[in-house]
Amino acid sequence: MSQSRGYLDEHPELESALDWVREWYHVLAVLLVFGFTLWNRVRNYDEFIVDGEVLLSGQDPWYHYRSTMFVVENWPSTMPFDPWTYFPYGTASGQFGTLFDQVFATVALIVGLGSPSEQTVGMVAIVAPAVLGALAVLPTYVVGRRLGGRLGGVTGIVVLGLSAGTFLQRSLAGTYDHQVAEGLLQVTAVLAVMVAVSVAERDKPVYEQFRERAVDPLRETIAYSALAGFAIALYLWTWPPAVLLLGILGTFFLLWLTVEVLRGKSPEHVAIAGTVMMGTVTVLELAVINTLSITATDHSLLQPLLALAIGFGCVFMAWLARYLEQEGYDATLYPVTVGGILVTGAVLMAILTPDLLSYFVDQVLRVVGFTASPSATQTSVGEATPLRNAGRLYQYYGLSLFVAGLGALLVVVEQFLDREASAQEFLMVVWGAFILAANFTQIRFGVYTVFPVAALTAYVVGRATDWVDLSASDDVETWEVLTVVALVFVIVGPMVLVQPLATDVGATAGPGQEAKGWNDGLDWMESHTPAEGTYGTGGEQTLEYYGTYQARDDYDYQAGEYGVMSWWDYGHLITVEGERIPNANPFQQGATMAANFLLAPNESQANDVLQQVDEDDAQTRYVAVDWKMVNTYGQYGGKFFAPPRFYNASEVSANDYYRTIVSRQRGYQFNYRTQAYYNTTVVRLYDYHGSAVEPRPVVLDWEIATQNGRQVRVTPEDGRAVKAFNSMAAAREYAANDSTSQVGGFGSVPSERVPAMEHYRYVGSSERNAYVSEAHNIATFVEGASLGLNIRPPAGNATTCGANQTAMPFNGQQFCIPDSQEAFLNQNNPAWTKIFERVPGGTIEGTGPENTTVTASVQMRNHQTNETFVYTQQARTGPDGEFTMTVPYSTTGYDEWGTQEGYTNVSVRAEGQYQFRAIGVDNGSRVPYAGTTHVTEGQVIGENGTAATVELEPLFQVSSGDDSSSNSSSIAAPTDGERATAP
């Protein structure tokens, strides 16, 4: 580079500029990367404000928002117990309502000048994760610089900034969850530990200095170790399950102290640092302990005891090394002794406290088991599922993943070759190994992966820089500089070429259709149902929304307080957006209860589920369901697959409810349903609104074929998967003679009659329709197209669907389904969220022709969506012609029983009276009977104990003379499953 040197000598101003760049380029790089990461995460901020209301992304952020609001109202206290979830028990918030919420509640108080509105707190919640994600650049740079110099530090933060992995996904605007704080605080804590052990290696403190009170030699080791303990405690205060880091550090100290002894060095220096930092953690954790049990999900005895055990272990290992040395034992006896003690301790625990040992083993396998098989319930939680596609890591981190692996290998090799190898580098390998195992075990731990990847990548860049020795500018060859530059570009290049890009992920930030769909329905619930504590009584709300309640195992709810049954995914939304108490929540509390209710095969069993948990004066009053809960296509957003994993009333699996057929013509896989699916409570509510439903004379037909060496169900070669018949008898005869077919079983068409519900009525919904969801429409398109339904773009040059067609946006296009065929897929209008009320029901007592079936029907209209549907129920008359039925829908008296009186201001109202029909026999001829009656709202909700009455009268008389044929009816007998109607 002599020519370049000469040119620079001739241009001193250029030399000065280059000197400035060499001196300050890292600062500029940190600022640029910080700005980019913040911009990329917060760029879609306005997407989270819909019609002036703040919406968040996911489920847990809603509860963090509630926890933050509690701190705002009760600063600086966090919520000890919450009766506003997990009805009828209530719950301690555990890992929610921690330092994370305290910090941003304080920020909201400052921004709101001491009295922030809910809107202000919501806006703080939107930007908080993005700010934390950007702040992670700072400790990541320092970690990288310590391992690989300034260029290594810059490379590390570029890896962080360009990674499209879990940390980015959890730090986007609106994702107001503790996971982003976990990542930031873990890398900060690891940095603090790096500094503490490095200072200990430098100053070499020993026990005698403590005994002689030699303060100066110990000052920095103690100070930095205490700061490391404080950093670890901050992490634990934010997320109690951060005992994961304690396990990582415990393993590090165990291995490192052993390696030091085998090298013939004293382990005492690092052991002292470990003892001080773990002692600090123990004291700080004892200050916030909430429970004296052993649990990782709350501040319990687990955190301080584990820290204390690691600290004691460091002291013991330092003493053991001295003892063996003084007694003249060979150093190889050290790991044998330590290992023997650990094995003996495990055996004693197995004998004396087997449950405790089992708990620890289960926790280790659950977090870093790597190949441990997750439970069925665990896999229903998206973030708890294993990482099944290792290629995803390459998509997230590019070649930096392999460079980091090379860095780990170099560190391990150096530990064997260099007696003075650094403890902080070895810490990186232990950290990275644990985090990788945790990431493969549960994808949620991917929130940490980018940090050890960035750190070890920085280490490799640092080693390359040392090899070139860029500081010796006069002697550096051009090829050496280009080698380092090429290395950095090889690391970074794929991250800006391989999908998904970090900018692509940032551009997708938004609350999603689900939050909008449920927000719409829960807004209706908040304004149209009685406040908690007023159901059936009226008056003022008695349960304070941000009140302070003492922790207990089972909260005693008061009269008028009630629960809302739904799947556990939506519990936090119900608490926050609806200000009602869900029976189940995303802590998976109440999940089995919810599954048992939603999958109950009859109304009696569904009622039993609720009666088992209801209190005398507080009961579950509402049920909230959405289209996803009845959708069997999990790959397209459906959630029906999940409840069977929690159901414990009997042994069931998803296969009992739906199975797969492959379309020969299109290659799609679609699901057909068994009758058990249609009998579930959730389907009877969402699809049928509690009405009785008759099967239709259609048959689903398939064949058996061999694909990839296994037998699968496929559509017939002629493509006619659905065959229509003129009668149910003909359809059933076909299915009986063809083992690869069944009556109905697709869309909302059952195989057998589904009876009506008596105590659950449709009362309100979201205005938003499921057809706004791309996921819903994909599932509908796949099923409809596979069945051969006429799903097409608008005809001709039209851009919209015509009359008698339902529009379905999909894949950027408009598709149209004829209403006659759409009815096969959706029995009723698929509003995103539907709300049902559990009521005593109104009794109808009537008379009609003896020993016959009476059909009652009433047309209802949902004034939220303007949809209409018919509720139908049947009863059987006795020999005296009398019958009784209980119906959940009223037809009059709505304005007398609104929210002020403690009841529901229903949006689903009748458009007329109940219509009754029956077929009797008169003089050997079939005669239609009919009648009508009203059922009042007071009768349905139990405020009026009288029964409605109806007397069915024949629509005409049959004479007994020879001319009777002139007056007789020509009505044909109804076929099996067909509903009898009057002419």
Side-chain angles (χ1 to χ4, degrees):
M1 297 184 65
S2 57
Q3 292 181 346
S4 299
R5 180 71 264 172
Y7 183 82
L8 292 175
D9 289 339
E10 296 175 1
H11 298 81
E13 70 285 356
L14 183 58
E15 173 73 7
S16 177
L18 289 175
D19 287 341
W20 186 92
V21 170
R22 280 194 292 266
E23 184 69 22
W24 297 104
Y25 78 91
H26 59 292
V27 176
L28 180 61
V30 170
L31 291 175
L32 287 174
V33 174
F34 179 88
F36 170 77
T37 56
L38 182 60
W39 166 80
N40 190 38
R41 286 159 168 78
V42 81
R43 60 196 288 197
N44 278 9
Y45 171 87
D46 56 348
E47 293 289 329
F48 295 90
I49 303 174
V50 179
D51 297 329
E53 185 174 359
V54 171
L55 297 182
L56 300 174
S57 178
Q59 302 300 330
D60 287 350
W62 291 100
Y63 201 80
H64 268 299
Y65 168 80
R66 169 164 170 75
S67 299
T68 303
M69 278 300 305
F70 181 92
V71 178
V72 168
E73 298 289 334
N74 300 273
W75 194 90
S77 299
T78 56
M79 186 161 45
F81 184 84
D82 190 6
W84 281 84
T85 189
Y86 191 28
F87 182 88
Y89 306 104
T91 189
S93 56
Q95 56 189 291
F96 289 78
T98 60
L99 180 64
F100 176 83
D101 306 274
Q102 286 175 308
V103 167
F104 290 107
T106 304
V107 171
L109 284 166
I110 294 171
V111 172
L113 302 178
S115 182
S117 65
E118 291 187 352
Q119 180 86 351
T120 298
V121 177
M123 290 183 173
V124 170
I126 292 175
V127 301
V131 172
L132 292 181
L135 287 174
V137 168
L138 304 180
T140 302
Y141 170 76
V142 179
V143 169
R145 189 187 65 185
R146 292 183 64 84
L147 296 171
R150 291 187 299 177
L151 183 58
V154 170
T155 305
I157 61 174
V158 170
V159 169
L160 173 64
L162 295 180
S163 167
T166 308
F167 183 73
L168 170 60
Q169 297 161 22
R170 296 294 184 269
S171 56
L172 295 174
T175 313
Y176 187 58
D177 196 357
H178 54 250
Q179 290 190 12
V180 59
E182 291 176 44
L184 170 62
L185 292 175
Q186 189 186 83
V187 68
T188 302
V190 170
L191 170 60
V193 174
M194 290 174 66
V195 174
V197 297
S198 297
V199 170
E201 286 186 310
R202 182 196 69 193
D203 293 349
K204 295 180 170 52
V206 293
Y207 165 71
E208 286 76 12
Q209 292 172 324
F210 286 91
R211 187 174 59 190
E212 297 168 3
R213 299 182 181 179
V215 176
D216 290 342
L218 295 171
R219 180 178 288 112
E220 291 195 12
T221 296
I222 293 176
Y224 282 108
S225 298
L227 283 174
F230 178 66
I232 296 168
L234 289 178
Y235 180 30
L236 288 165
W237 287 352
T238 299
W239 192 56
V243 287
L244 166 65
L245 180 58
L246 294 182
I248 294 172
L249 295 178
T251 303
F252 161 73
F253 285 120
L254 174 67
L255 296 176
W256 180 255
L257 299 183
T258 301
V259 168
E260 289 287 84
V261 171
L262 292 176
R263 287 175 177 157
K265 299 175 63 178
S266 172
E268 196 166 338
H269 320 311
V270 172
I272 287 174
T275 302
V276 172
M277 71 176 68
M278 290 301 151
T280 303
V281 172
T282 300
V283 172
L284 294 176
E285 268 300 302
L286 286 172
V288 297
I289 194 169
N290 287 333
T291 175
L292 298 180
S293 63
I294 300 292
T295 175
T297 57
D298 205 346
H299 294 291
S300 69
L301 287 175
L302 177 63
Q303 291 85 359
L305 286 181
L306 187 55
L308 184 64
I310 296 171
F312 176 79
C314 288
V315 171
F316 175 78
M317 291 184 71
W319 170 85
L320 180 63
R322 280 200 176 199
Y323 174 79
L324 294 178
E325 182 181 13
Q326 291 171 359
E327 296 298 323
Y329 292 108
D330 189 272
T332 55
L333 186 61
Y334 186 83
V336 175
T337 304
V338 172
I341 292 172
L342 292 175
V343 171
T344 302
V347 171
L348 289 175
M349 284 186 68
I351 296 172
L352 301 176
T353 58
D355 291 343
L356 184 61
L357 177 64
S358 177
Y359 173 81
F360 280 113
V361 171
D362 289 345
Q363 292 301 309
V364 170
L365 292 178
R366 191 175 65 85
V367 175
V368 292
F370 211 89
T371 57
S373 298
S375 65
T377 55
Q378 184 179 334
T379 56
S380 67
V381 184
E383 65 181 33
T385 55
L387 179 64
R388 304 187 187 279
N389 180 10
R392 184 67 56 84
L393 294 179
Y394 176 73
Q395 292 178 319
Y396 289 162
Y397 310 114
L399 290 178
S400 64
L401 184 69
F402 302 101
V403 175
L406 173 63
L409 180 62
L410 291 175
V411 170
V412 172
V413 171
E414 186 177 28
Q415 298 301 317
F416 286 99
L417 300 180
D418 186 358
R419 186 173 181 272
E420 302 302 323
S422 167
Q424 68 173 5
E425 294 170 358
F426 186 71
L427 173 61
M428 292 299 102
V429 175
V430 176
W431 182 35
F434 266 88
I435 295 305
L436 185 63
N439 195 172
F440 271 98
T441 306
Q442 293 188 32
I443 60 175
R444 79 165 313 279
F445 292 111
V447 74
Y448 304 122
T449 305
V450 68
F451 298 108
V453 168
L456 288 167
T457 300
Y459 172 78
V460 173
V461 171
R463 291 298 298 268
T465 304
D466 291 341
W467 172 64
V468 171
D469 193 11
L470 293 180
S471 61
S473 56
D474 291 340
D475 301 322
V476 176
E477 296 293 336
T478 301
W479 69 269
E480 293 177 317
V481 176
L482 292 178
T483 298
V484 175
V485 172
L487 174 62
V488 173
F489 273 97
V490 165
I491 293 169
V492 173
M495 301 184 74
V496 296
L497 297 174
V498 177
Q499 299 293 330
L501 304 181
T503 50
D504 293 337
V505 175
T508 64
Q513 296 289 350
E514 186 171 282
K516 297 175 183 177
W518 273 85
N519 177 68
D520 192 2
L522 292 174
D523 283 347
W524 180 93
M525 175 179 280
E526 184 179 7
S527 61
H528 287 74
T529 63
E532 290 288 351
T534 69
Y535 191 96
T537 62
E540 297 295 326
Q541 178 171 303
T542 57
L543 192 67
E544 189 176 350
Y545 190 61
Y546 291 118
T548 300
Y549 303 89
Q550 295 304 310
R552 64 200 73 184
D553 293 332
D554 188 353
Y555 185 79
D556 182 19
Y557 289 91
Q558 303 302 305
E561 295 167 356
Y562 59 88
V564 177
M565 174 60 72
S566 188
W567 187 230
W568 60 262
D569 286 13
Y570 305 115
H572 295 337
L573 279 168
I574 292 170
T575 297
V576 178
E577 290 293 275
E579 294 195 11
R580 300 296 182 264
I581 310 172
N583 292 68
N585 58 43
F587 305 142
Q588 288 194 9
Q589 294 168 330
T592 296
M593 181 202 323
N596 289 348
F597 175 85
L598 296 171
L599 297 182
N602 54 68
E603 188 172 7
S604 176
Q605 188 169 320
N607 288 333
D608 287 344
V609 172
L610 300 183
Q611 289 167 3
Q612 289 172 11
V613 297
D614 281 348
E615 299 179 359
D616 292 339
D617 50 0
Q619 300 177 353
T620 299
R621 298 292 187 179
Y622 296 92
V623 182
V625 296
D626 72 346
W627 68 266
K628 293 188 174 187
M629 292 164 64
V630 298
N631 190 286
T632 61
Y633 296 91
Q635 67 272 40
Y636 304 133
K639 295 180 183 290
F640 189 88
F641 73 92
R645 298 177 177 179
F646 291 84
Y647 188 73
N648 69 358
S650 62
E651 290 292 330
V652 299
S653 68
N655 196 53
D656 292 311
Y657 299 99
Y658 60 92
R659 297 160 192 171
T660 300
I661 297 177
V662 178
S663 170
R664 289 182 192 264
Q665 293 72 29
R666 294 180 174 267
Y668 299 142
Q669 289 189 355
F670 70 96
N671 297 329
Y672 76 95
R673 286 71 143 173
T674 67
Q675 184 62 27
Y677 168 85
Y678 296 101
N679 288 339
T680 61
T681 299
V682 65
V683 172
R684 294 169 70 187
L685 292 175
Y686 185 87
D687 279 350
Y688 306 140
H689 301 166
S691 175
V693 177
E694 306 293 343
R696 304 184 193 184
V698 291
V699 169
L700 178 64
D701 197 15
W702 66 86
E703 297 173 355
I704 302 297
T706 300
Q707 293 184 355
N708 299 322
R710 64 188 185 93
Q711 289 189 325
V712 296
R713 302 177 190 88
V714 297
T715 55
E717 291 187 1
D718 63 5
R720 293 185 58 212
V722 177
K723 295 177 170 60
F725 295 84
N726 292 327
S727 69
M728 284 302 305
R732 293 195 187 282
E733 181 180 4
Y734 181 93
N737 294 321
D738 185 349
S739 61
T740 57
S741 67
Q742 69 172 33
V743 174
F746 58 91
S748 58
V749 183
S751 300
E752 302 170 8
R753 184 176 188 273
V754 177
M757 304 187 80
E758 299 179 344
H759 302 288
Y760 297 88
R761 63 173 180 173
Y762 186 27
V763 291
S765 69
S766 59
E767 294 182 16
R768 184 176 294 269
N769 193 286
Y771 280 124
V772 303
S773 168
E774 182 86 352
H776 172 273
N777 296 343
I778 292 174
T780 303
F781 182 86
V782 165
E783 183 158 317
S786 300
L787 293 171
L789 302 185
N790 186 26
I791 302 179
R792 298 287 187 272
N797 297 322
T799 57
T800 59
C801 297
N804 302 318
Q805 291 183 321
T806 297
M808 186 185 75
F810 168 53
N811 202 25
Q813 302 182 57
Q814 185 94 309
F815 286 83
C816 306
I817 312 175
D819 290 344
S820 59
Q821 295 190 6
E822 199 270 343
F824 281 113
L825 301 177
N826 298 293
Q827 176 80 7
N828 291 301
N829 178 285
W832 192 293
T833 306
K834 297 182 180 182
I835 313 297
F836 296 84
E837 184 180 14
R838 177 189 177 199
V839 292
T843 301
I844 300 175
E845 296 176 350
T847 60
E850 67 274 9
N851 300 319
T852 191
T853 298
V854 175
T855 299
S857 61
V858 60
Q859 179 159 303
M860 309 294 299
R861 181 179 296 276
N862 179 359
H863 292 270
Q864 283 285 103
T865 61
N866 207 35
E867 67 166 315
T868 60
F869 66 95
V870 175
Y871 170 81
T872 302
Q873 190 182 148
Q874 290 182 344
R876 188 77 179 174
T877 61
D880 57 359
E882 295 182 353
F883 70 91
T884 302
M885 67 169 59
T886 301
V887 295
Y889 290 100
S890 57
T891 60
T892 187
Y894 300 111
D895 295 336
E896 299 176 25
W897 302 102
T899 55
Q900 294 301 313
E901 290 73 33
Y903 291 103
T904 310
N905 180 14
V906 297
S907 292
V908 181
R909 302 189 174 192
E911 301 218 300
Q913 302 182 72
Y914 274 93
Q915 306 289 323
F916 293 84
R917 297 289 184 269
I919 299 294
V921 178
D922 189 359
N923 290 327
S925 298
R926 296 168 58 82
V927 178
Y929 282 68
T932 62
T933 192
H934 274 296
V935 178
T936 69
E937 180 74 357
Q939 289 171 320
V940 165
I941 62 178
E943 287 287 351
N944 182 344
T946 63
T949 60
V950 61
E951 183 176 353
L952 277 66
E953 300 287 351
L955 295 183
F956 57 82
Q957 298 293 325
V958 177
S959 64
S960 58
D962 292 336
D963 60 344
S964 61
S965 59
S966 63
N967 295 321
S968 62
S969 170
S970 61
I971 297 175
T975 59
D976 179 24
E978 294 181 335
R979 186 179 304 152
T981 57

